[in-house]
């Protein structure tokens, strides 16, 4: 009997709220819901499987004397290439400073100047210094450590680690719970968690691609699950590639933070030529999609691409950027004296589950926050360091919305407390997932075209037919949505670049909205044309 045919065991009580994912959005939402009972289901020990823990840049918030919400919104809209939802962006930006103060109260040690004021940095496409950081490149790690400590001290939050959520349970038009597989997804048994509200905070899609800066848990399962439950998916074609992943053959690839370029580091090829100035007047500080294509072109041409920090950072590298320094030294590269080899890697997904300003999806009973969503604030290309901001702002809005919509339950002893994790099993890529990752990088990557996308969609359909595991179906569903979105959008905009349609087109200056049924219709049409 196939593993997926086993009937799920049932949890012996109805959880008030289940949060899927132990990253920044999930933990922050749980803390904001306190003292309301919450169960967090995390595939890995909290903090270890979350992209937010690896974020190096920081959080963008308009908090300096010369900065304004209007400036931050304007920069966000400019980076988003014409399709940012301005109303949603304004919600996010205006609530940013309050969320920074929340994080300070939770113990996040943001960098300060000698007077004790927050030290603000500048990153690409920002007109002001508004990035709140921790020790240069350790913001994500420090934020997560502080939130994990706060969660473990909060008795109303139960954390179950090593539970891979595979399915959203629907009763009529409502999501009424989730089904998860314990032991990091390796158990033969699945557990049903009924819930009055489900909050999806399952992260991004990076592991759908062969080269990514994301942990393996970020493989698109959340988007796939939501789509299979009937949720509307928005802007799936917009995938952001970070231009400066460190090219040392590691999976995931370590990241050379954008803050290095903000501090003056330059991109050069193997001949020492600084190539970005030929492509964009802002050079290394151009929007990420432009820099990624510039780096990709040098690598494809055989000239290689390198981030030269020797003059801008030099001997200060170890204390200013300890994470990047450690990654380089482990690979035998001394960034104090040597340029760092770099390559574009999938870093962030602007698309995802469509939500409103309160984090509600198109399916009743299901909320979502973080990278699994598409709120519209990023448009076609995320502005640097807006992702952590989006996660905390909308996680807090979800908490307020749930508190207002559902009556208070009785509190009780959850039994298994935060931190009592199950023994975890390392999950290696299956042959099917390895094939899918190579396919996505080759045909749905930095540069796309019609023929490659048609080939990718047909190959994805074949992989879907030949593999019956529930978890893989969630993953391949997300790949299908991304590929179909890219196939349908016949223009280039932000993180989506079509070699056969290299310019923006006025008729495409809008967001994409798609259901799984819509994507399957395109797959069927392409199958018919192939057979004809």
């Amino acid at each position: 009997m196939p593993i997926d045919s086993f009937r799920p065991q049932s949890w012996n009580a109805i959880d008030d709220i289940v949060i899927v994912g132990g990253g920044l959005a999930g933990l922050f939402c749980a803390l904001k819901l306190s003292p309301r009972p919450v169960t967090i289901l995390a595939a890995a020990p909290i903090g270890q499987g979350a992209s937010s823990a690896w974020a190096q840049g920081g959080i963008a918030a308009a908090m300096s004397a010369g900065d304004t919400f209007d400036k931050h919104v304007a920069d966000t809209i400019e980076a988003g290439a014409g399709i940012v939802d301005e109303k949603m962006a304004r919600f996010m930006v205006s609530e940013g400073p309050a969320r920074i103060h929340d994080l300070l109260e939770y113990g996040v040690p943001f960098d300060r100047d000698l007077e004790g004021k927050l030290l603000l940095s500048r990153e690409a496409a920002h007109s002001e210094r508004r990035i709140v950081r921790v020790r240069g490149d350790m913001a994500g790690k420090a934020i997560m450590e502080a939130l994990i400590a706060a969660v473990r001290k909060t008795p109303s939050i139960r954390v179950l680690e090593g539970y891979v959520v595979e399915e959203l349970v629907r009763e009529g038009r409502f999501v009424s719970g989730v089904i998860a597989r314990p032991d990091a997804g390796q158990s033969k048994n699945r557990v049903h968690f009924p819930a009055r509200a489900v909050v999806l905070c399952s992260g991004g899609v990076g592991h759908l691609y062969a080269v990514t800066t994301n942990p393996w848990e970020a493989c698109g399962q959340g988007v796939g699950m939501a789509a299979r439950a009937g949720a509307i998916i928005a802007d799936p074609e917009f995938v952001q590639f970070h231009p400066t992943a460190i090219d040392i053959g590691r999976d995931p690839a370590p990241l050379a933070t954008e803050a290095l370029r903000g501090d003056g580091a330059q991109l050069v090829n193997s001949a020492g030529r600084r190539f970005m100035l030929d492509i964009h007047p802002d050079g290394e500080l151009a929007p990420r999609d432009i820099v990624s294509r510039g780096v990709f072109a040098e690598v494809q041409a055989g000239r290689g691409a390198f981030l030269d920090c020797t003059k801008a950072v030099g001997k200060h590298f170890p204390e200013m950027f300890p994470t990047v320094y450690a990654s380089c030294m482990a690979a035998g590269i001394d960034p104090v004296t040597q340029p760092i080899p770099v390559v574009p890697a999938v870093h962030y997904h602007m698309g995802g589950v469509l939500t409103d300003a309160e984090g509600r999806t198109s399916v009743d009973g299901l909320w979502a926050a973080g990278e699994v969503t598409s709120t519209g604030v990023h448009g076609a290309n995320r502005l640097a360091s807006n992702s952590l901001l989006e996660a905390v702002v909308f996680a807090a809005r979800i908490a307020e919305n749930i508190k207002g919509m559902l009556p208070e339950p009785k509190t009780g002893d959850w039994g298994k407390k935060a931190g009592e994790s199950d023994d975890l099993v390392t999950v290696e890529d299956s042959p099917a997932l390895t094939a899918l990752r190579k396919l996505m990088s080759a045909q749905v990557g930095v540069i796309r075209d019609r023929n490659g996308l048609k080939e990718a969609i047909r190959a994805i359909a074949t992989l879907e037919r030949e593999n019956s595991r529930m978890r893989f179906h969630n993953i391949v569903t997300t790949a299908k949505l991304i590929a179909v979105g890219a196939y349908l959008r016949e223009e280039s905009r932000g993180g989506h670049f079509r070699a056969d349609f290299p310019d923006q087109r006025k008729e495409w200056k809008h967001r994409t909205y798609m259901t799984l049924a819509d994507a399957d219709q395109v797959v069927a049409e392409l199958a018919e044309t192939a057979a004809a």
Side-chain angles (χ1 to χ4, degrees):
M1 182 180 292
I3 288 175
D4 281 335
S5 68
F6 278 88
R7 177 176 294 178
Q9 296 174 344
S10 183
W11 177 246
N12 61 6
I14 293 180
D15 287 294
D16 184 45
I17 299 163
V18 168
I19 295 176
V20 181
L24 174 60
L27 299 188
F28 197 81
C29 186
L31 288 166
K32 281 292 186 180
L33 281 163
S34 174
R36 190 169 189 133
V38 172
T39 295
I40 296 174
L41 299 176
I46 52 174
Q48 291 186 23
S51 296
S52 40
W54 298 8
Q56 294 180 1
I59 301 184
M63 301 181 72
S64 68
D67 203 358
T68 65
F69 294 157
D70 286 341
K71 286 182 180 179
H72 192 173
V73 171
D75 290 346
T76 299
I77 290 171
E78 177 67 22
I83 62 168
V84 167
D85 184 323
E86 183 173 352
K87 182 179 179 181
M88 294 287 275
R90 197 165 291 279
F91 275 136
M92 177 183 73
V93 165
S94 63
E95 295 176 18
R99 301 291 77 81
I100 295 295
H101 287 295
D102 285 341
L103 291 170
L104 286 167
E105 289 180 7
Y106 289 133
V108 179
F110 289 123
D111 294 342
R112 297 178 183 270
D113 62 19
L114 294 177
E115 297 179 350
K117 298 177 181 177
L118 287 174
L119 194 62
L120 301 172
S121 303
R122 185 183 171 209
E123 289 184 347
H126 285 275
S127 60
E128 300 286 341
R129 299 180 72 87
R130 63 169 70 100
I131 314 304
V132 186
R133 300 196 297 195
V134 178
R135 289 187 64 199
D137 64 359
M138 298 183 70
K141 182 175 184 290
I143 291 168
M144 289 298 292
E145 285 176 351
L147 293 189
I148 289 167
V151 163
R152 297 205 190 283
K153 294 175 186 174
T154 306
S156 61
I157 301 174
R158 178 178 63 158
V159 180
L160 299 181
E161 297 165 301
Y163 279 75
V164 176
V165 177
E166 296 186 337
E167 192 173 355
L168 300 172
V169 179
R170 282 191 68 165
E171 293 182 12
R173 62 190 182 90
F174 290 92
V175 166
S176 60
V178 304
I179 294 175
R181 196 182 296 275
D183 301 328
Q186 298 302 291
S187 174
K188 291 184 177 181
N189 298 312
R190 301 199 298 157
V191 182
H192 177 208
F193 292 85
R196 302 167 77 200
V198 174
V199 185
L200 194 60
C201 303
S202 53
V205 305
H207 207 69
L208 280 176
Y209 288 79
V211 183
T212 179
T213 62
N214 296 171
W216 74 263
E217 289 86 356
C219 55
Q221 286 199 76
V223 172
M225 271 191 293
R228 295 178 70 185
I232 295 171
I233 306 302
D235 303 331
E237 64 269 35
F238 295 112
V239 178
Q240 185 176 78
F241 290 79
H242 197 291
T244 55
I246 304 174
D247 189 16
I248 52 177
R250 279 175 49 190
D251 181 23
L255 183 65
T257 174
E258 193 157 336
L260 287 162
R261 284 175 283 135
D263 284 351
Q266 297 179 352
L267 284 164
V268 298
N269 60 25
S270 56
R273 175 172 164 67
R274 187 180 175 192
F275 55 85
M276 277 307 303
L277 289 175
D278 298 334
I279 299 170
H280 193 279
D282 290 340
E284 287 79 6
L285 294 181
R288 282 181 174 175
D289 60 301
I290 296 173
V291 181
S292 289
R293 288 195 293 275
V295 171
F296 183 76
E298 293 300 307
V299 173
Q300 288 293 100
R303 293 186 290 269
F306 302 84
L307 186 64
D308 189 348
C309 312
T310 57
K311 295 184 180 65
V313 183
K315 65 182 181 180
H316 303 291
F317 212 120
E319 64 268 21
M320 288 181 66
F321 301 99
T323 305
V324 181
Y325 182 76
S327 294
C328 290
M329 292 299 288
I333 300 164
D334 183 356
V336 173
T337 59
Q338 296 173 278
I340 304 168
V342 293
V343 66
V346 173
H347 188 59
Y348 192 84
H349 189 208
M350 280 74 73
V353 183
L354 178 66
T355 65
D356 66 10
E358 311 307 324
R360 294 174 298 199
T361 73
S362 58
V363 179
D364 290 334
L366 179 65
W367 287 255
E371 193 175 348
V372 73
T373 69
S374 182
T375 61
V377 301
H378 303 306
N381 192 37
R382 175 179 65 94
L383 181 66
S385 292
N386 268 356
S387 54
L388 298 187
L389 175 65
E390 179 197 34
V392 293
V393 165
F394 288 99
R397 294 180 74 88
I398 288 171
E400 287 302 310
N401 189 246
I402 290 176
K403 285 179 179 179
M405 288 184 66
L406 299 181
E408 285 291 333
K410 295 178 181 179
T411 58
D413 187 350
W414 277 136
K416 187 171 184 179
K417 300 299 183 183
E420 295 179 7
S421 61
D422 296 291
D423 291 334
L424 301 182
V425 180
T426 301
V427 177
E428 302 293 340
D429 282 355
S430 66
L433 183 52
T434 299
L436 179 64
R437 295 181 71 193
K438 290 179 179 177
L439 176 69
M440 292 295 286
S441 286
Q443 308 292 9
V444 199
V446 177
I447 297 177
R448 306 158 173 178
D449 62 46
R450 180 180 177 84
N451 289 336
L453 290 166
K454 287 168 67 174
E455 179 183 326
I457 292 168
R458 289 168 180 151
I460 286 168
T462 300
L463 285 169
E464 188 174 29
R465 285 193 306 270
E466 294 177 350
N467 295 272
S468 61
R469 288 295 296 268
M470 179 72 74
R471 200 181 331 167
F472 185 76
H473 267 238
N474 291 330
I475 294 168
V476 80
T477 293
T478 305
K480 176 167 57 179
L481 290 161
I482 294 170
V484 169
Y487 172 75
L488 293 176
R489 183 173 284 272
E490 294 183 334
E491 66 155 1
S492 292
R493 185 181 297 271
H496 168 69
F497 186 83
R498 287 277 298 262
D500 47 347
F501 294 97
D503 301 315
Q504 289 186 9
R505 298 171 67 185
K506 184 170 62 176
E507 61 267 34
W508 276 103
K509 192 179 180 182
H510 60 76
R511 299 181 68 195
T512 299
Y513 303 102
M514 181 186 306
T515 64
L516 180 54
D518 296 331
D520 283 336
Q521 184 176 345
V522 173
V523 174
E525 290 169 357
L526 289 178
E528 287 180 10
T529 59

